[in-house]
Amino acid sequence: MPTLTILPSGVEVDASEGDTVLFSLVIGGVSIGHECNGKAQCDGCHILVHQGGESLSEIKIPENDRLKQVANADPKSRLACQAIVGSGDTTIEIVNAGPGA
């Protein structure tokens, strides 16, 4: 089972291959924004992938289009709602934490 490690806290969340990073984080009790409910229509679930990005799905057009509109996006940026967990462990940083974070 792949693990998502969240920086800087070091919290680890078990994920299932084929689920989105967003789903895995929410099920794991991690606070993260997701105003559009996973439709790549906001930047609420903006994350930075520090390690293990090769295990995530490739960026598709809707995610790429949205990331072009994110002011603080960089080459490590992904939308957690669009990034599909693969078989390997991944280390991320949540840019937009949800309420109560």
Side-chain angles (χ1 to χ4, degrees):
M1 176 173 284
T3 299
L4 299 174
T5 302
I6 297 98
L7 298 178
S9 67
V11 168
E12 293 184 348
V13 173
D14 289 333
S16 294
E17 192 172 343
D19 285 344
T20 64
V21 170
L22 177 63
F23 180 81
S24 299
L25 293 174
V26 170
I27 293 300
V30 176
S31 182
I32 182 170
H34 56 285
E35 292 78 25
C36 73
N37 293 314
K39 297 182 176 106
Q41 296 175 348
C42 72
D43 65 350
C45 66
H46 180 199
I47 60 172
L48 299 176
V49 180
H50 291 283
Q51 293 180 334
E54 66 279 354
S55 182
L56 299 177
S57 61
E58 292 185 22
I59 295 176
K60 303 254 191 292
I61 292 172
E63 180 180 10
N64 189 54
D65 289 349
R66 175 54 58 186
L67 286 172
K68 287 179 184 176
Q69 299 174 27
V70 175
N72 56 346
D74 76 16
K76 297 186 290 186
S77 291
R78 292 294 307 262
L79 296 178
C81 70
Q82 300 298 301
I84 307 295
V85 176
S87 60
D89 296 340
T90 307
T91 301
I92 64 167
E93 178 181 349
I94 299 171
V95 177
N96 297 326

